[in-house]
């Protein structure tokens, strides 16, 4: 079994900061990409940021310069530092990991349960 457990969501005022974290656990041999998606009410899930195993990152234009993604391969964690938050950042944030289960040559994508971020005054 593989689990991705997120933490760090909450309510913050516009202009504030939050840090989301996600830890992967279970029986897997390797994690490739990790990242974050978000889904606002009434909207489709969208990519926020991704980071490769080697540390290369890619972010949505809407969060460039405000959000920073990082990972710790030794701890199997990925984090999202969110600064200068705006009301339009309000959403449920989901972490994901593309990983190889122990003994399997195939890559699977696993998702966290989601953590809610609300930006409001």
């Amino acid at each position: 079994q593989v689990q991705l457990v997120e933490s760090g969501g909450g309510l913050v005022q516009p202009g504030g900061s939050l840090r989301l974290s996600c830890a992967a656990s279970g029986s897997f041999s390797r994690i490739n990409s990790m990242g974050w998606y978000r889904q606002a009410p009434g909207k489709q899930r969208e990519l926020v940021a991704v980071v490769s195993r080697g540390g290369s990152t890619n972010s949505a234009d809407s969060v460039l310069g405000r959000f920073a993604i990082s990972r710790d391969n030794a701890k199997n964690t990925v984090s999202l530092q969110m600064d200068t938050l705006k009301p339009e950042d309000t959403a449920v944030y989901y972490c994901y990991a593309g990983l190889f289960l122990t003994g399997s040559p195939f890559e699977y994508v696993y998702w966290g349960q989601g953590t809610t971020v609300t930006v409001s005054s």
Side-chain angles (χ1 to χ4, degrees):
Q1 292 288 340
V2 174
Q3 278 192 315
L4 270 64
V5 179
E6 299 139 336
S7 60
L11 173 64
V12 63
Q13 292 187 344
S17 298
L18 280 175
R19 185 176 180 85
L20 305 182
S21 296
C22 174
S25 63
S27 183
F28 51 85
S29 57
R30 176 187 174 92
I31 301 178
N32 279 346
S33 66
M34 302 184 81
W36 295 89
Y37 279 70
R38 68 185 180 186
Q39 187 166 19
K43 294 189 176 182
Q44 290 187 333
R45 190 175 295 192
E46 63 176 1
L47 174 70
V48 177
V50 299
V51 56
S52 71
R53 183 171 181 82
S56 298
T57 64
N58 192 22
S59 301
D61 289 344
S62 59
V63 305
L64 279 174
R66 300 189 299 122
F67 292 10
I69 189 170
S70 61
R71 67 186 282 175
D72 185 329
N73 290 334
K75 297 181 179 179
N76 298 319
T77 59
V78 61
S79 298
L80 186 69
Q81 178 65 40
M82 305 186 295
D83 298 321
T84 320
L85 282 159
K86 304 176 180 180
E88 51 263 44
D89 295 318
T90 295
V92 178
Y93 285 69
Y94 299 90
C95 76
Y96 84 92
L99 54 83
F100 291 87
L101 299 176
T102 302
S104 172
F106 304 109
E107 182 175 355
Y108 295 90
V109 176
Y110 282 82
W111 294 89
Q113 78 284 359
T115 186
T116 300
V117 172
T118 303
V119 184
S120 175
S121 56

